[in-house]
């Protein structure tokens, strides 16, 4: 895969697919500009070469053109970070955008309106991709967060730029870091996988069994495994359809000699609420009418020991309902152990919106080796899949 370092963009109009899918508050102010900042090195390289940039992104999941999902809300942030005026293409591939793109001069930055306002984007429509492609001379993909989607701007468009397409710095960096844990991991290798559901992480768990020494399962998905092992789960989250799969994973772990670790104590609650009555449960049988919403101190000690013995650690998904302080301790402690392991020389990779949020909350974003900007995309790479957005750059 070529990266932008293989090219010079003097006098080129470069279409750059970025991931500006940032959170906005109810007054449409950007509350976290991380994703915008992570795209700046790529944008600046093109501008410094003497090229111009046409940025394209999606924002949220609009059904049609809806102002709350307009990318114009991010223009003030972008103008400040790039220290220049942004030209806005509100009709995406319409006459106005085409004229503005045609008139771009070196150093100019144009932003297209939310691509998902056009029905062709998510469908991967070839005609829409062709019309987008006509706006520029060169295609760069820097949107790792959507590289697992075969959408018009993330994959299909690449076919219109033979020999004139490349990965931006962020995308290339993401791929390098995730491939490092897939291919050049130093052992012992430990993965911590959490979050609500087994169903969304099944592929990852299966592939990780081929790679890791320790597979630690936390979060809501724990209880499907505990049910499979015959424990009582009370009102905890269980996916009955996945009990057989959980059993298969348990069996495969045994066959492959992987140490599969499940929590052994819990913070349990009498209802799913931030102010629920809670208590600490030693053991794995959740009493009737109670539910497990975080892991307990014995489990944390075990996780800490394993993390600090490991040379490679991947973490994706919270250990509890960390949005509520009462059930946030497990997730926050794991963030701290990863920071400590990193200081002691381990390679640590963290991804998934919730895990990254927990790192940020603890002020530890810079204390791990790499923070992935793409939850779903990272998971698909960990599943061993080739992402459509990356494949399209290679073809
Ligand atoms: P996911 O999107 O699958 O990564 O799941 C993230 C969500 O899992 C977060 O919103 C957590 O609140 C939730 N979660 C974590 N642990 C539990 C649990 N024990 N019971 C219910 N939900 C949980």
């Amino acid at each position: 895969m070529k990266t932008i370092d293989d090219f010079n963009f003097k006098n080129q109009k470069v279409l750059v697919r970025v991931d500006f899918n940032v959170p906005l508050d109810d007054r449409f102010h950007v509350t976290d500009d991380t994703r915008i900042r992570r795209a700046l090195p790529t944008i600046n390289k093109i501008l410094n070469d003497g090229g111009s940039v046409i940025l394209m992104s999606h924002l949220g999941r609009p059904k049609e053109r809806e102002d709350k999902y307009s990318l114009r809300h991010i223009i003030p942030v972008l103008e400040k970070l790039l220290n220049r005026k942004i030209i806005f293409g509100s009709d995406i591939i319409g006459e106005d955008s085409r004229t503005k793109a045609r008139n771009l001069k070196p150093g100019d930055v144009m932003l297209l309106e939310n691509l998902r306002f056009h029905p062709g984007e998510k469908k991967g429509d070839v005609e829409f991709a062709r019309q987008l492609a006509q706006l520029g001379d060169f295609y760069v993909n820097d949107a790792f967060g959507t590289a697992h989607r075969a959408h018009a701007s993330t994959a299909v468009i690449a076919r219109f730029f033979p020999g004139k397409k490349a990965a931006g710095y962020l995308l290339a960096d993401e791929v390098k870091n995730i491939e490092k844990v897939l291919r050049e991991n130093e052992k012992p290798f430990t993965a911590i996988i959490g979050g609500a559901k087994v169903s969304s992480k099944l592929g990852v768990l299966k592939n990780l069994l081929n790679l890791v020494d320790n597979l630690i399962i936390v979060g809501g998905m724990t209880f499907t495994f505990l049910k499979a092992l015959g424990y009582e789960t009370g009102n905890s989250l269980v996916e009955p359809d996945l009990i057989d799969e959980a059993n298969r994973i348990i069996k495969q772990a045994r066959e492959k000699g992987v140490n599969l670790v499940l929590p052994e104590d819990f913070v349990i609650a009498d209802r799913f609420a931030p102010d629920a009555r809670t208590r600490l449960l030693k053991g794995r049988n959740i009493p009737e009418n109670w539910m497990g919403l975080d892991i307990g101190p014995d489990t944390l000690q075990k996780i800490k020991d394993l993390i600090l013995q490991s040379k490679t650690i991947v973490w994706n998904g919270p250990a509890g309902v960390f949005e509520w302080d009462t059930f946030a301790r497990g997730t926050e402690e794991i963030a701290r152990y990863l920071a400590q392991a990193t200081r002691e020389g381990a390679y640590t990779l963290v991804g998934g919106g919730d895990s990254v949020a927990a790192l940020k909350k603890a002020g530890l974003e810079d204390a791990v080796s790499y923070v992935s900007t793409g939850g779903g995309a990272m998971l698909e790479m960990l599943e061993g899949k080739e992402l459509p957005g990356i494949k399209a750059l290679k073809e």
Side-chain angles (χ1 to χ4, degrees):
M1 183 171 67
K2 291 248 168 51
T3 76
I4 50 173
D5 274 337
D6 297 316
F7 297 91
N8 183 287
F9 297 103
K10 192 171 165 59
N11 292 324
Q12 299 267 308
K13 287 176 190 161
V14 186
L15 273 160
V16 186
R17 178 50 157 107
V18 287
D19 182 358
F20 285 171
N21 184 27
V22 291
L24 302 174
D25 64 19
D26 17 320
R27 290 164 57 225
F28 306 119
H29 292 144
V30 176
T31 55
D32 183 348
D33 65 358
T34 307
R35 285 182 159 159
I36 302 176
R37 278 190 287 107
R38 299 268 302 251
L40 296 179
T42 292
I43 299 170
N44 285 325
K45 142 83 179 160
I46 297 164
L47 296 176
N48 291 338
D49 276 0
S52 57
V53 174
I54 303 167
L55 298 167
M56 31 181 204
S57 177
H58 74 288
L59 176 63
R61 296 182 170 179
K63 291 203 184 62
E64 54 203 21
R65 195 173 261 275
E66 281 175 84
D67 184 62
K68 71 171 176 170
Y69 294 116
S70 174
L71 275 171
R72 78 183 167 79
H73 301 307
I74 72 152
I75 290 176
V77 178
L78 200 55
E79 289 190 331
K80 198 159 162 213
L81 288 170
L82 285 170
N83 197 21
R84 67 191 76 207
K85 270 246 146 310
I86 301 295
I87 299 158
F88 190 53
S90 63
D91 59 358
I92 311 178
I93 49 168
E95 186 52 42
D96 181 57
S97 291
R98 289 205 300 271
T99 307
K100 284 174 175 162
R102 210 177 304 123
N103 293 333
L104 287 177
K105 286 181 273 311
D108 283 347
V109 178
M110 177 169 172
L111 171 69
L112 298 185
E113 178 58 287
N114 190 344
L115 296 177
R116 289 192 184 167
F117 285 177
H118 193 291
E121 169 62 359
K122 283 179 82 171
K123 282 191 208 136
D125 182 66
V126 179
E127 184 50 30
F128 178 53
R130 195 180 61 80
Q131 293 192 35
L132 280 175
Q134 283 174 350
L135 298 174
D137 310 312
F138 196 103
Y139 172 68
V140 169
N141 191 351
D142 212 19
F144 180 71
T146 39
H148 59 314
R149 309 280 185 217
H151 294 169
S153 70
T154 60
V156 182
I157 190 173
R159 72 180 67 168
F160 298 104
F161 294 97
K164 290 186 157 207
K165 53 188 169 185
Y169 290 130
L170 174 62
L171 186 107
D173 231 26
E174 292 270 5
V175 171
K176 193 176 82 194
N177 278 279
I178 298 171
E179 286 196 335
K180 183 179 162 73
V181 309
L182 289 171
R183 295 188 223 296
E184 298 153 36
N185 51 70
E186 224 186 303
K187 302 246 168 185
F189 181 179
T190 297
I192 308 150
I193 304 294
K197 290 186 172 169
V198 182
S199 43
S200 57
K201 308 256 162 94
L202 199 59
V204 178
L205 294 175
K206 285 184 176 163
N207 197 42
L208 286 173
L209 285 177
N210 299 316
L211 299 169
V212 301
D213 303 289
N214 304 298
L215 179 56
I216 303 172
I217 289 174
V218 291
M221 55 197 276
T222 303
F223 303 99
T224 302
F225 282 88
L226 292 186
K227 191 94 184 172
L229 289 168
Y231 292 99
E232 298 296 332
T233 51
N235 285 341
S236 306
L237 191 66
V238 172
E239 289 169 279
D241 295 351
L242 284 157
I243 291 174
D244 288 346
E245 284 286 0
N247 266 318
R248 237 166 274 149
I249 288 170
I250 293 165
K251 184 162 163 264
Q252 276 171 17
R254 211 175 293 132
E255 286 164 5
K256 292 177 195 273
V258 174
N259 178 28
L260 181 76
V261 179
L262 290 164
E264 50 201 49
D265 60 344
F266 298 90
V267 177
I268 57 172
D270 65 348
R271 62 203 167 92
F272 191 77
D275 57 348
R277 201 149 61 92
T278 66
R279 65 185 181 90
L280 187 64
L281 173 78
K282 298 245 173 207
R284 288 175 169 158
N285 281 310
I286 313 292
E288 217 181 331
N289 298 324
W290 290 76
M291 58 181 83
L293 295 185
D294 196 11
I295 53 177
D298 294 350
T299 306
L300 277 169
Q301 186 59 49
K302 193 163 178 182
I303 292 175
K304 183 178 186 183
D305 292 343
L306 287 171
I307 289 179
L308 295 181
Q309 286 161 21
S310 300
K311 285 266 169 256
T312 307
I313 305 145
V314 173
W315 175 34
N316 186 304
V321 185
F322 79 109
E323 295 93 335
W324 298 331
D325 284 345
T326 329
F327 311 108
R329 173 149 183 251
T331 305
E332 285 168 13
E333 286 288 305
I334 291 175
R336 271 183 222 114
Y337 306 155
L338 259 86
Q340 187 181 341
T342 316
R343 280 198 301 278
E344 294 176 8
Y347 176 84
T348 51
L349 170 66
V350 181
D354 296 328
S355 303
V356 176
L359 268 185
K360 277 187 191 163
K361 199 172 157 210
L364 295 172
E365 227 187 327
D366 299 325
V368 297
S369 307
Y370 194 74
V371 177
S372 177
T373 54
M378 170 178 158
L379 287 175
E380 289 204 14
M381 274 194 77
L382 291 179
E383 278 181 42
K385 289 188 188 157
E386 184 169 39
L387 309 187
I390 291 166
K391 189 159 172 252
L393 287 179
K394 292 179 183 165
E395 278 163 353

